[in-house]
Amino acid sequence: MNDAPRTTEPSYDVETDIQANTQLRPQRAHLQLAIDGMSCQACASRIEKVLNKKPSVYEVSVNFAGETANVDYNPTETTPEQITEWVDKTGFVANLQAADSLFAQTDEDTATRLPWRLIALWICLLPFLVGMAGMLIGQGMAWMPPVWIQFVLATIVQFGLALPFYKSAWASIKGGLANMDVLVVIGTVTIWAYSTYIWLTHGDSSMGAMLQDAVNHGPEVYFEAGVMVIAFVRTGKYLEDRTKKHSLNSIDLLLSLTPDKVEQQQPNGDFHNVSLQDVQVDDILRAKQGSRVATDGVVIDGSGWCVESHLTGESVPLKKEEGDELLAGALVENGSLLYRVRAKGSDTKLGDMVQALSDAQGSKAKLARLADKITAIFVPVVVGISLLTFGLTWWLTGMVDTALMHAVSVLVIACPCALGLATPAAIMAGMGVAARHGVWFKDAQSLEAAGDIDTVVLDKTGTLTIGKPAIVEQMMVDKSIAINDVLQLAASVEAHASHPLATAVVNAAKDRRLSLLAVTDISVIKGAGIQAKIEGLGIVKVGTAEFTNLTLPKLMPKVWQIASTVAVSINDEPLGAFALADDLKADTAQAITALQDGGLSVILMSGDKQSVVDHVADHLGITAAYGRMSPRDKASQIAKLQTAGHKVAMAGDGVNDAPAMATADASFAMFEGTDVAQHSASARLMGESLMHIDAAQKIAHATVRNIKQNLFFAFVYNCLGIPLAAFGFLNPMIAAAAMALSSISVLMNALRLTTFKTDVELDNTVTMTESDTNKNSTVNA
């Protein structure tokens, strides 16, 4: 790759007005809702279908596992309240996010309140379980309740405790998409109706006969089947709900990082405990050892060590003193701090992370589209298969009760819940783990793309290096010109650029107490440098040697071969040049080794001169290194790699990396990178450690594999379950238990992702590890 054609390019590119031409569309707004009451993926599809029909709604994505809806709409034609009403009319409850809250919460947490309906279901089921236990030990029907008691219990369950199934099924049918509750209602009502018919027509429903049934147990009925189906399905939903809300969703964990009560300083200097909701911007709060910082703020007194791993993924404590920034959720390991509130709630960096994570978890991966298409037509197809099973079984056996049980088993076993949970459950877990490691993926598609990459392209300055270069050598064309005068000219122009090299020149001038001159007619020359007019002097150019018309001597000290060059000229008359060196990050070599050990090809692309790039590449063991690459060159080279069949990720931090990041399949914006880079990237790395790139790729890869495992299991479950039920190998009770187990199995598989960990040493060295229970299930699964 080093033999590829090169194009001349400066040591940096800057663009001062790249964002000025990008205007937000005022007619497009984003809204996230918390949805309560969804029972399967078909419910999510129904909400999407209803909202997508509204002309004022551009795009809708409903996440069944996360129980959220992301809606892009035209704010001039509708309001969030109207959208909420539309969702409510579909049979669900939508909740808006409060203005100062971190995340939209439902009115009542269905996973923590007492499940009285489920408890009542199992109380009604208990007599049937006793009877079935007697059958298993050879007692026949002796332990089974009399038929009239079976009828009473089944009726209470069917038309009382199972009422939510009916409401959901009816709302689903009205919405035009049948969900799994439709299958449950059809199956259990059929069992109840058939058993009631048999009892009334083949037995004696008089009081004397019912008392006699206490001994003889009457005709053969199947009330227990309907009760068990409803109980098992409801139990499965309850366990599924708890898993989604408390194990898979990292948002609850993030929300718990801010305390409910804080110590607020009063006008007289005393401290009182007040509710965090009552705190306002500019209030003074105190955070003592062992407590959490409640809001974003600035230290005004005291000192201490804080851990911000919840945002950066790095557990190294940071010294905080007067004037330093504090982040909401940070743990004060030592010391005591007084800080002034700068932002609270959703305006904090933690709030931004919660919202970003929520939006990302609510998005859909490409793999989810297949499951959505199947579940959209699944229920009608299953009902058809059930009717066919009933007809064929009755025709072949002549026994209507056998045919009915087979048909009901088909209805119950064919639950699309596992399919609906397969992708979003893994996405929720993967997103949460990534956030815990300081990686914020923009959406599910970004995580999915990062999991499939085989090549990583890295920028040099600010990515492999610290991003704080310093002047290590200088060369003047005319020895009579003072170095400080040339530095003053360069810094006056570079003050209007944003690249680390420009910052280094400006800082060097400040260190030497050089005042900056006024400049006009500032112009960025892409692929060259920056120029401006200084009154009384003319046009001052700062950039590459070629741009400033400077020819460096061939026999230069070695430092010039491995350092970046910034040259200066006036009216195309070269004055001199500065050599700037930038140290590698402490863990850069380890991160490169980790990526290569993971089977990824690592390529270095930089705008710096080839000798500098080759020096860095040789030091890090990178075999493919490209120097003097313009932003267009980087994007073109990545496009060539993609054409050759590679899945490419790009990591960078500057404006000049944005085109390449937008071209790549996945992209990572380094910590404190430019806004343009972070906007172009599919993921943001919130820590300075380069090991975050390795963590991001491994987490994404593990998540994609987990999704594929879930989808495979869900497909196999239905492909095997429906034929077994149709041929009578599964009765309705076993089918209900298997259906509930399928959803729980998918969730348990997704939960394996949450055991993915990284250990961050105090010397900022990060060693990727996996827990013993996860060695064969996440990265290597």
Side-chain angles (χ1 to χ4, degrees):
M1 282 188 168
N2 283 319
D3 295 331
R6 314 278 187 203
T7 58
T8 301
E9 206 276 345
S11 59
Y12 61 92
D13 288 324
V14 292
E15 181 66 74
T16 58
D17 61 350
I18 191 168
Q19 297 180 80
N21 296 325
T22 303
Q23 297 182 352
L24 296 177
R25 296 171 56 186
Q27 71 277 18
R28 191 180 185 95
H30 179 76
L31 171 68
Q32 185 176 83
L33 300 172
I35 309 295
D36 191 22
M38 291 190 294
S39 62
C40 71
Q41 181 59 35
C43 298
S45 299
R46 172 154 48 99
I47 298 174
E48 290 180 351
K49 180 179 179 182
V50 170
L51 294 183
N52 279 323
K53 288 181 178 179
K54 306 298 182 181
S56 56
V57 174
Y58 297 123
E59 186 178 359
V60 181
S61 177
V62 180
N63 187 329
F64 166 51
E67 297 185 350
T68 58
N70 288 304
V71 185
D72 289 340
Y73 66 100
N74 188 334
T76 64
E77 297 181 2
T78 189
T79 63
E81 290 75 17
Q82 179 65 63
I83 296 174
T84 301
E85 291 181 9
W86 291 336
V87 175
D88 292 344
K89 289 180 180 178
T90 63
F92 305 99
V93 178
N95 295 274
L96 287 170
Q97 181 179 357
D100 60 348
S101 68
L102 289 179
F103 182 66
Q105 299 291 323
T106 53
D107 292 334
E108 186 174 6
D109 189 346
T110 56
T112 57
R113 66 189 181 195
L114 185 65
W116 64 268
R117 193 182 296 273
L118 179 61
I119 295 173
L121 268 173
W122 279 91
I123 291 175
C124 292
L125 178 61
L126 185 60
F128 293 106
L129 293 177
V130 173
M132 296 182 70
M135 295 171 62
L136 291 175
I137 62 175
Q139 297 297 317
M141 300 293 290
W143 291 3
M144 188 66 73
V147 177
W148 71 271
I149 294 181
Q150 295 183 44
F151 169 78
V152 171
L153 292 175
T155 302
I156 292 174
V157 169
Q158 192 69 51
F159 301 106
L161 299 177
L163 188 59
F165 288 96
Y166 287 87
K167 292 181 178 179
S168 175
W170 176 241
S172 175
I173 293 173
K174 286 197 302 181
L177 287 173
N179 61 8
M180 65 158 286
D181 291 336
V182 174
L183 301 179
V184 173
V185 168
I186 293 175
T188 56
V189 165
T190 302
I191 292 175
W192 179 89
Y194 175 78
S195 298
T196 302
Y197 170 77
I198 292 296
W199 175 49
L200 294 177
T201 58
H202 292 71
D204 190 344
S205 58
S206 64
M207 181 60 69
M210 286 192 293
L211 293 176
Q212 184 65 27
D213 282 345
V215 179
N216 298 329
H217 297 282
E220 186 173 356
V221 292
Y222 302 94
F223 287 118
E224 76 281 359
V227 175
M228 291 189 71
V229 166
I230 292 173
F232 285 166
V233 172
R234 186 67 192 90
T235 301
K237 285 187 175 184
Y238 175 75
L239 295 176
E240 175 188 310
D241 201 38
R242 286 189 61 85
T243 303
K244 289 189 300 182
K245 291 189 175 182
H246 294 285
S247 300
L248 283 180
N249 201 343
S250 299
I251 290 177
D252 288 340
L253 179 61
L254 291 174
L255 294 178
S256 66
L257 294 178
T258 54
D260 294 328
K261 297 288 185 179
V262 295
E263 291 188 64
Q264 182 188 54
Q265 188 178 50
Q266 305 301 310
N268 61 2
D270 295 337
F271 287 90
H272 292 168
N273 287 329
V274 300
S275 173
L276 179 58
Q277 294 180 349
D278 297 331
V279 172
Q280 303 299 322
V281 174
D282 288 332
D283 284 354
I284 297 177
L285 306 180
R286 180 167 64 185
K288 295 184 293 188
Q289 181 177 347
S291 65
R292 294 273 182 181
V293 177
T295 69
D296 286 357
V298 177
V299 179
I300 60 174
D301 191 23
S303 65
W305 293 84
C306 296
V307 176
E308 299 173 346
S309 58
H310 64 297
L311 291 176
T312 66
E314 298 176 358
S315 59
V316 180
L318 301 175
K319 183 68 177 294
K320 299 292 184 178
E321 297 176 317
E322 184 176 346
D324 289 338
E325 179 186 15
L326 286 180
L327 300 179
L331 174 64
V332 182
E333 280 200 343
N334 193 11
S336 178
L337 302 166
L338 282 185
Y339 63 98
R340 189 179 302 277
V341 177
R342 289 293 182 233
K344 56 173 292 191
S346 58
D347 294 328
T348 63
K349 198 166 186 178
L350 175 62
D352 180 54
M353 178 180 181
V354 169
Q355 189 59 53
L357 178 59
S358 180
D359 288 342
Q361 288 183 338
S363 61
K364 286 189 178 181
K366 293 180 180 179
L367 288 172
R369 297 175 183 174
L370 177 61
D372 286 349
K373 291 179 180 178
I374 293 175
T375 54
I377 61 172
F378 197 79
V379 172
V381 171
V382 169
V383 172
I385 294 175
S386 177
L387 292 174
L388 182 62
T389 299
F390 177 79
L392 289 177
T393 305
W394 191 6
W395 178 62
L396 292 174
T397 65
M399 295 183 290
V400 67
D401 55 345
T402 301
L404 180 64
M405 290 299 103
H406 289 191
V408 171
S409 295
V410 169
L411 290 175
V412 175
I413 197 68
C415 171
C417 279
L419 276 175
L421 286 170
T423 299
I427 289 294
M428 286 180 65
M431 290 285 187
V433 173
R436 194 178 74 223
H437 290 85
V439 182
W440 297 9
F441 282 102
K442 182 179 296 184
D443 49 36
Q445 293 90 334
S446 299
L447 184 144
E448 187 178 12
D452 289 332
I453 62 173
D454 56 37
T455 303
V456 177
V457 175
L458 301 173
D459 178 43
K460 182 179 70 69
T461 305
T463 302
L464 298 180
T465 63
I466 296 175
K468 297 180 179 179
I471 295 177
V472 294
E473 187 65 85
Q474 56 271 328
M475 186 276 295
M476 296 297 108
V477 175
D478 187 345
K479 302 297 183 181
S480 64
I481 301 178
I483 292 176
N484 281 353
D485 291 338
V486 177
L487 179 60
Q488 183 183 38
L489 294 176
S492 299
V493 177
E494 291 280 49
H496 301 275
S498 59
H499 193 274
L501 295 181
T503 303
V505 172
V506 175
N507 289 338
K510 290 181 179 179
D511 292 340
R512 301 185 188 187
R513 301 182 183 278
L514 302 177
S515 59
L516 300 184
L517 304 176
V519 300
T520 58
D521 299 336
I522 303 167
S523 178
V524 175
I525 311 301
K526 275 216 172 230
I530 183 172
Q531 68 180 34
K533 183 179 180 180
I534 297 181
E535 190 67 30
L537 293 177
I539 301 298
V540 177
K541 292 183 178 181
V542 184
T544 63
E546 295 87 348
F547 178 56
T548 58
N549 203 30
L550 173 65
T551 301
L552 292 171
K554 292 183 178 180
L555 298 178
M556 294 285 286
K558 185 178 179 180
V559 66
W560 289 89
Q561 305 301 318
I562 61 176
S564 302
T565 302
V566 174
V568 186
S569 70
I570 296 179
N571 298 324
D572 290 330
E573 290 293 329
L575 300 179
F578 299 94
L580 293 93
D582 189 8
D583 293 332
L584 293 173
K585 293 179 179 178
D587 62 356
T588 294
Q590 182 185 1
I592 299 301
T593 300
L595 290 170
Q596 293 172 336
D597 290 345
L600 300 178
S601 299
V602 180
I603 300 174
L604 175 57
M605 292 186 189
S606 175
D608 217 332
K609 57 189 178 183
Q610 191 63 44
S611 59
V612 176
V613 176
D614 288 340
H615 174 77
V616 173
D618 291 341
H619 181 73
L620 296 174
I622 300 175
T623 58
Y626 295 78
R628 297 192 178 278
M629 297 285 283
S630 68
R632 185 180 297 275
D633 292 335
K634 293 180 182 179
S636 298
Q637 188 61 37
I638 289 176
K640 290 180 181 178
L641 291 169
Q642 292 170 324
T643 302
H646 294 286
K647 298 293 184 180
V648 185
M650 170 71 189
D653 73 326
V655 175
N656 57 336
D657 298 319
M661 295 169 77
T663 303
D665 298 283
S667 52
F668 305 106
M670 301 304 297
F671 182 64
E672 293 186 347
T674 63
D675 291 340
V676 177
Q678 295 198 6
H679 177 74
S680 302
S682 56
R684 287 185 287 169
L685 307 181
M686 301 312 298
E688 295 181 355
S689 171
L690 205 63
M691 288 298 293
H692 286 305
I693 297 177
D694 183 61
Q697 189 276 329
K698 284 183 169 61
I699 292 170
H701 182 69
T703 303
V704 170
R705 292 187 68 87
N706 194 278
I707 291 173
K708 293 177 179 178
Q709 292 167 0
N710 285 346
L711 288 174
F712 175 79
F713 173 80
F715 279 123
V716 169
Y717 164 80
N718 283 289
C719 290
L720 293 179
I722 293 177
L724 289 175
F727 286 104
F729 294 104
L730 298 175
N731 62 41
M733 291 84 77
I734 296 177
M739 182 269 290
L741 183 62
S742 69
S743 297
I744 299 300
S745 298
V746 166
L747 292 173
M748 292 300 105
N749 188 48
L751 277 176
R752 296 189 305 158
L753 289 170
T754 62
T755 61
F756 188 95
K757 298 180 182 297
T758 62
D759 293 334
V760 183
E761 306 296 341
L762 292 181
D763 61 356
N764 291 334
T765 299
V766 186
T767 303
M768 298 302 301
T769 64
E770 294 178 50
S771 66
D772 291 339
T773 59
N774 196 43
K775 284 184 178 178
N776 298 316
S777 62
T778 53
V779 176
N780 298 320

